[in-house]
Amino acid sequence: MAKHETPFLDQLESGPWPSFVSDLKQQAEVRAKNEAGVEFQIPVDCVEDLLGVVELSYKHGRTHWKHGGIVGVFGYGGGVIGRYCDQPKLFPGVEHFHTMRVAQPCGKYYTTDYLRSLTKLWDLRGSGITNMHGATGDIIFLGTTTPQLEEVFYELTHNLNQDLGGSGSNLRTPADCLGSSRCEYACYDSNALCHFLTNEYQDELHRPAFPYKFKFKFDACPNGCVASIARSDMSFIGTWKDDIKIDQDAVAKYIANDEAYPANAGAFRGSRDWGPFDINKEVINLCPTKCMWMEGDELKIDNSNCTRCMHCINTMPRALKIGDERGLSILVGAKAPILDGAQMGSLLVPFVEVNPDDDYAAITEIIESIWDWWMEEGKNRERLGELIMRQGFQKLLEVTGIEAQPQHVAYPRTNPYIFWKEDEVEGGWERDVVEYRKHHLR
């Protein structure tokens, strides 16, 4: 029989979708039976008490978790999120129930042996509950006691060759897509860049020194499988400079509805009969900049107006391919709605070559110039995007040494006044005063 009655949580199991409540009940039962013969290092009934405290939160309409102080492992300022229950007498198994973040591998590639090692460790020294993956991307270990933190950390770093992820006002664990390891559209090796920057900025990742959190995310192509443009302070999105490659014979076969050339690679047309493929309806008319048209039997593209939305390439993958002059764009300032509302990333660098031979110097130079400015000017709990809103995008261009370009304009200016700095005008303001007096004062 369950230790706690959970009528509110039971309702969450009644719907058509899988419920976390069922998973927790199963884990509580496993721990109670101790089927694996494990000598648990934290209370056996911790998951049962977790169900109880969540039920009480539903009943009272408020949380029963409190912030009871800073907790972590020696030498690190992040990686552990302290969790304490405000009803320790009712639920002693979760009196302290800390979360640990484990850095996910690039592209989230795992071996089964590695996953078994993680779960075995957490069954012994934690609740056995994991989250794959948290919003930051990390593997999440949910629930352990303070004495077990150092034990878990030692096992991770010494025997599993693994590290904790980021938490607090620091660089969060970088996250990337599968990239060139599996995707034909990859414009750069997102796995390699993510791995390099993770190692390069270990100090920033583990020892909080920023005004607030800072996230890197890497999309190897404009399809944006990581959604970096909406979820990171600095997103790296693969792109290309030259023209989209066109196979006119393949275009003709798509238009002719050749069975070997299904539109969308057959991915979305199989669920219902959409009728014959119509290139005007399904590709040309959906181009956001109207840069495509048919000229006789040939497809034409005005690449100077292409915004790399990828729709045409995704729809006719055997006819259209990304260009050969590849690199990435850097966007900055995306975040969730904490202070000034949700923001998408703003384009900072339209194109930069990705060169691992010089340790990505062109990219790290931009990163560090932004960090210097943000750490100097940012207010407490102010994300980079909010600092840009407060001081202006022009200030960001100044601190990074990037010249203003048409791609930086989000919308035409509405301020009728133009202000020049002294060093922006040849001769300075004294010359302007002399010229004004000469021609306008009598």
Side-chain angles (χ1 to χ4, degrees):
M1 181 177 176
K3 182 179 177 182
H4 303 287
E5 297 296 325
T6 56
F8 285 102
L9 292 183
D10 294 344
Q11 292 183 41
L12 296 178
E13 295 182 280
S14 63
W17 311 111
S19 171
F20 75 94
V21 176
S22 301
D23 293 336
L24 290 178
K25 288 181 177 179
Q26 182 182 21
Q27 177 66 6
E29 186 177 345
V30 168
R31 290 184 70 88
K33 291 180 178 179
N34 199 8
E35 292 175 343
V38 176
E39 186 179 344
F40 300 118
Q41 298 299 309
I42 74 170
V44 173
D45 57 355
C46 63
V47 182
E48 192 66 63
D49 279 352
L50 175 63
L51 287 164
V53 74
V54 175
E55 174 72 19
L56 190 66
S57 294
Y58 277 109
K59 181 179 179 180
H60 291 168
R62 62 183 177 84
T63 184
H64 283 286
W65 298 107
K66 64 177 183 176
H67 180 71
I70 296 173
V71 65
V73 297
F74 184 73
Y76 280 19
V80 179
I81 299 96
R83 293 283 183 267
Y84 298 89
C85 178
D86 67 1
Q87 301 291 327
K89 293 183 179 180
L90 285 176
F91 310 106
V94 292
E95 181 177 356
H96 35 153
F97 201 69
H98 309 312
T99 291
M100 300 186 77
R101 289 180 176 168
V102 182
Q104 80 276 16
C106 294
K108 297 185 174 68
Y109 281 111
Y110 304 103
T111 64
T112 52
D113 286 342
Y114 171 74
L115 289 176
R116 287 191 182 100
S117 298
L118 287 181
T119 54
K120 183 179 179 180
L121 168 63
W122 200 239
D123 279 336
L124 173 65
R125 300 195 176 278
S127 67
I129 304 170
T130 60
N131 182 343
M132 307 286 280
H133 293 258
T136 299
D138 303 285
I139 306 159
I140 306 297
F141 282 172
L142 288 165
T144 193
T145 59
T146 303
Q148 294 303 315
L149 295 176
E150 289 291 349
E151 303 289 346
V152 173
F153 181 58
Y154 182 91
E155 186 71 20
L156 283 172
T157 55
H158 287 73
N159 296 328
L160 298 183
N161 194 29
Q162 185 55 280
D163 201 357
L164 295 185
S167 69
S169 295
N170 61 4
L171 175 64
R172 298 300 179 84
T173 318
D176 63 320
C177 67
L178 297 173
S180 53
S181 65
R182 292 199 61 184
C183 180
E184 64 179 307
Y185 300 146
C187 299
Y188 72 98
D189 190 340
S190 57
N191 300 156
L193 180 57
C194 180
H195 184 260
F196 173 83
L197 293 180
T198 301
N199 288 324
E200 180 73 6
Y201 296 121
Q202 282 289 291
D203 199 56
E204 288 78 8
L205 203 156
H206 291 306
R207 296 172 179 84
F210 291 160
Y212 203 17
K213 66 182 92 168
F214 195 96
K215 298 179 181 179
F216 289 149
K217 296 193 189 296
F218 306 85
D219 281 314
C221 83
N223 273 324
C225 294
V226 178
S228 64
I229 192 172
R231 303 172 57 229
S232 60
D233 300 87
M234 200 167 208
S235 60
F236 304 84
I237 303 177
T239 188
W240 63 92
K241 288 179 72 174
D242 53 340
D243 295 346
I244 295 174
K245 293 180 285 189
I246 306 176
D247 182 341
Q248 297 292 352
D249 291 337
V251 172
K253 289 179 179 178
Y254 276 109
I255 294 173
N257 283 272
D258 188 315
E259 290 185 359
Y261 289 76
N264 285 313
F268 304 108
R269 296 178 65 85
S271 59
R272 57 174 287 189
D273 183 9
W274 291 93
F277 174 69
D278 184 338
I279 192 171
N280 285 300
K281 180 181 178 182
E282 299 186 43
V283 179
I284 294 174
N285 293 345
L286 296 179
C287 176
T289 57
K290 308 300 180 188
C291 71
M292 309 180 71
W293 69 96
M294 292 298 295
E295 201 167 283
D297 295 332
E298 291 194 346
L299 177 66
K300 300 292 185 181
I301 300 177
D302 175 11
N303 283 275
S304 64
N305 279 316
C306 174
T307 58
R308 313 295 194 265
C309 78
M310 296 292 289
H311 173 72
C312 61
I313 297 176
N314 291 334
T315 306
M316 302 191 297
R318 298 181 68 175
L320 302 174
K321 302 288 185 183
I322 63 177
D324 292 322
E325 196 174 349
R326 302 170 187 175
L328 59 80
S329 299
I330 299 177
L331 293 88
V332 293
K335 69 172 192 68
I338 298 175
L339 292 182
D340 288 326
Q343 293 175 214
M344 296 282 276
S346 299
L347 182 65
L348 177 63
V349 183
F351 185 87
V352 60
E353 292 184 0
V354 181
N355 186 6
D357 294 334
D358 65 354
D359 291 337
Y360 306 99
I363 294 172
T364 56
E365 182 180 350
I366 294 168
I367 292 170
E368 291 167 19
S369 63
I370 289 175
W371 280 350
D372 288 343
W373 172 54
W374 182 48
M375 286 193 287
E376 181 70 26
E377 299 289 341
K379 298 178 181 179
N380 186 38
R381 296 181 69 84
E382 182 176 52
R383 295 285 287 273
L384 174 64
E386 291 155 346
L387 175 61
I388 294 171
M389 287 183 67
R390 182 163 61 86
Q391 293 200 356
F393 198 85
Q394 184 174 351
K395 182 65 177 179
L396 175 66
L397 296 179
E398 290 176 13
V399 300
T400 55
I402 296 172
E403 293 186 4
Q405 301 176 57
Q407 293 94 328
H408 291 144
V409 179
Y411 51 85
R413 67 182 177 87
T414 54
N415 188 335
Y417 297 98
I418 301 173
F419 297 94
W420 301 95
K421 292 185 177 179
E422 181 179 341
D423 57 3
E424 292 175 337
V425 181
E426 185 178 353
W429 63 271
E430 295 100 335
R431 185 210 62 184
D432 296 336
V433 171
V434 170
E435 290 295 314
Y436 179 84
R437 289 173 173 169
K438 182 189 299 182
H439 296 288
H440 299 283
L441 298 180
R442 295 286 184 256

